[in-house]
Amino acid sequence: MRKNGILFLMIVLLLITACSSNAEKIVISQSGKGQEKIIVYKLQKDATLQQQTKKDVIATFNDTSDTMIFINAIKESEKISGIANTDSPNYEVTFQKDGTKDSYYLWINNNDPTSNAMYVNKDDTHTAYKISVNSTNSINKLLERIKD
């Protein structure tokens, strides 16, 4: 009887873990239909996540084709195992729709077309995700366009 209880508990924990790791992607994919606005902030260099204060807004994206670049990057990202040990993030990206906000810290190399960007949810900085090279390059092109 005791073995059955332990087995049941392990199955429940496994299901909770599996569902929670994809929960963020599910929220973004559902909000992607009709996403109203994405705001990109430039962050302070050499500041820890805890030291980050309000930053400079460098872009606001309302166009569906622009917002889908960010949404697809998150939907197609892969969870990075282990604990991420990183420098300061380059950007904070905030998804806004119907009065709700979800913010992410983004690390991206603007000078290397073969690198992967990485992000963490601002509310869960212990779980990092790797963005594909193609999505990273698409984000870089979008960010380059706003610099002009």
Side-chain angles (χ1 to χ4, degrees):
M1 182 70 173
R2 187 169 214 204
K3 288 182 183 180
N4 287 339
I6 292 172
L7 180 61
F8 176 74
L9 181 60
M10 289 178 63
I11 290 171
V12 169
L13 289 174
L14 180 63
L15 287 173
I16 290 171
T17 303
C19 292
S20 67
S21 66
N22 288 325
E24 181 174 306
K25 291 182 184 183
I26 291 168
V27 168
I28 290 297
S29 67
Q30 289 172 346
S31 69
K33 299 173 185 153
Q35 184 72 38
E36 292 177 356
K37 187 188 310 186
I38 294 179
I39 303 168
V40 179
Y41 302 90
K42 180 74 175 162
L43 297 181
Q44 304 165 5
K45 189 149 181 79
D46 299 324
T48 66
L49 294 180
Q50 294 79 14
Q51 294 170 330
Q52 291 294 345
T53 58
K54 265 306 167 198
K55 318 99 241 70
D56 296 326
V57 175
I58 61 166
T60 300
F61 299 103
N62 297 310
D63 183 65
T64 302
S65 62
D66 293 339
T67 59
M68 287 309 293
I69 290 172
F70 288 98
I71 291 166
N72 288 334
I74 288 178
K75 283 173 39 178
E76 298 168 1
S77 64
E78 296 177 25
K79 185 177 179 181
I80 299 172
S81 61
I83 298 172
N85 185 11
T86 62
D87 291 332
S88 303
N90 307 87
Y91 303 100
E92 181 179 319
V93 179
T94 299
F95 293 76
Q96 286 186 340
K97 182 179 179 190
D98 300 329
T100 62
K101 292 182 182 182
D102 290 311
S103 294
Y104 302 86
Y105 291 121
L106 176 67
W107 288 260
I108 192 165
N109 184 342
N110 303 100
N111 301 317
D112 184 0
T114 63
S115 70
N116 297 86
M118 180 185 80
Y119 74 91
V120 298
N121 186 308
K122 190 174 177 180
D123 295 328
D124 178 17
T125 57
H126 298 292
T127 306
Y129 296 87
K130 177 174 71 169
I131 296 175
S132 72
V133 172
N134 286 338
S135 289
T136 299
N137 289 332
S138 295
I139 292 170
N140 270 329
K141 286 178 187 174
L142 193 58
L143 294 174
E144 277 297 314
R145 193 176 80 205
I146 63 170
K147 289 180 185 177
D148 296 337

